[in-house]
Amino acid sequence: MMSPSATIPRQCMRESVTPDPCRRSACLIYNPVAGQGDAEADLWLIRSFLDPVFDLDIRLTTPEVGANALARAAMERGAQLVIASGGDGTLSAAAEALVGTGIPFGVISRGTANAFANALGLPLTLELACEAIIDGATRAVDVATCNGLPMVLLAGIGFEAEAVARTSREAKNWFGTLAYVWSGLQQLGEMQSFQVAIETPDLRIQTTATAITIANAAPPTSVLAQGCGACVFDDGLLDITVVAPNSAMEALAAAFDLFSSAVRAAALDRPDVGHLLAPWVRVVTDPPQAVAIDGEVVARTPLEVVCVPGGLRVIVPVDDLLEPRLAVEYLDLESAAEVELLAE
């Protein structure tokens, strides 16, 4: 596996020749320490697909220079598309730099959970991901801002944020997705409730919760985001799920039911799980809670999340453009919370 400070072997470097005007310029942002595979072999495979098609500029992430900075630099150099290969952190960081630019974003997922690719229905194998990028079909997907920070997937408050904080890089390298599961099980024993006030354009809600998830896009494995049953990433709305179990056993049952609701694409009907859709949401908690944005704990409540409809152009398999959009209904929270309907 390449070290973070490794340089690309000379054979992998793009030759210093005049670019072919018939080929589009593309920047490949590559995280050499992502996932559990052979990073050098993966890079060779990716290049075997992309080099014949694109005028390819390869840039490695390092501890000092992340995917966000590399994506911005690629745009300044005039790249016509940006491709990122790595884990969810790398993909989200690169995507954040492209929000609102209209530059197509290609995804080659090589991470632990691969939540980014799963949430957007993108290919998970290197070969299929490269083929999709070569075909070049793009789809506008929503993004969001979270206290001013870009958010592509979701923000987790309370339980999920604490579980993310417990999961070390070493655990992810050794156990993959199971590392998150284990951290979550450990967190169950220390689960604590907090008071929360939630405001949307239509409602003000005061209730007690142990976890709140505000999702723009989320795979079924992000169980705490599945109250609405189908997290649609291009509907201009945030999916807000509030979980308030009374015990660890109830929390496990709620998690199982949430996952089942995602698989069935049907809203969950439990008295300890509330769900609603909104274009923006403000959340205030007592006491303040940690917030994990796209898998990284980078904020605390109070929190304001605003959807940015169609803010990112993602390269998808051509067949995806032919699939019908999911229909989503507006769902109120359960009556256990104090809800105030706002005047129109």
Side-chain angles (χ1 to χ4, degrees), residues 166-186:
R166 282 176 176 263
T167 308
S168 66
R169 163 50 56 187
E170 291 76 14
K172 288 189 283 187
N173 287 341
W174 276 99
F175 302 110
T177 305
L178 289 176
Y180 294 104
V181 176
W182 176 244
S183 294
L185 291 174
Q186 288 180 307

Side-chain angles (χ1 to χ4, degrees), residues 100-255:
T101 67
I103 294 176
F105 180 49
V107 173
I108 304 175
S109 192
R110 296 172 28 255
T112 301
N114 295 320
F116 191 104
N118 276 308
L120 300 182
L122 302 176
L124 294 178
T125 68
L126 301 186
E127 295 88 347
L128 291 178
C130 289
E131 288 174 1
I133 291 168
I134 290 169
D135 288 339
T138 62
R139 183 172 185 174
V141 303
D142 300 340
V143 291
T145 60
C146 189
N147 279 6
L149 300 172
M151 183 186 91
V152 179
L153 299 179
L154 57 86
I157 302 171
F159 182 90
E160 178 161 330
E162 296 298 334
V164 168
R166 282 176 176 263
T167 308
S168 66
R169 163 50 56 187
E170 291 76 14
K172 288 189 283 187
N173 287 341
W174 276 99
F175 302 110
T177 305
L178 289 176
Y180 294 104
V181 176
W182 176 244
S183 294
L185 291 174
Q186 288 180 307
Q187 185 64 22
L188 279 177
E190 303 173 17
M191 183 177 59
Q192 294 184 347
S193 299
F194 50 87
Q195 297 298 310
V196 59
I198 300 172
E199 181 182 356
T200 73
D202 304 308
L203 300 171
R204 287 196 185 102
I205 302 160
Q206 292 186 339
T207 187
T208 300
T210 57
I212 301 169
T213 305
I214 303 166
N216 173 61
T221 49
S222 296
V223 293
L224 297 183
Q226 305 299 333
C228 293
C231 194
V232 182
F233 53 75
D234 57 358
D235 60 354
L237 298 171
L238 302 167
D239 295 63
I240 304 154
T241 302
V242 181
V243 183
N246 294 316
S247 67
M249 290 303 296
E250 284 189 10
L252 282 172

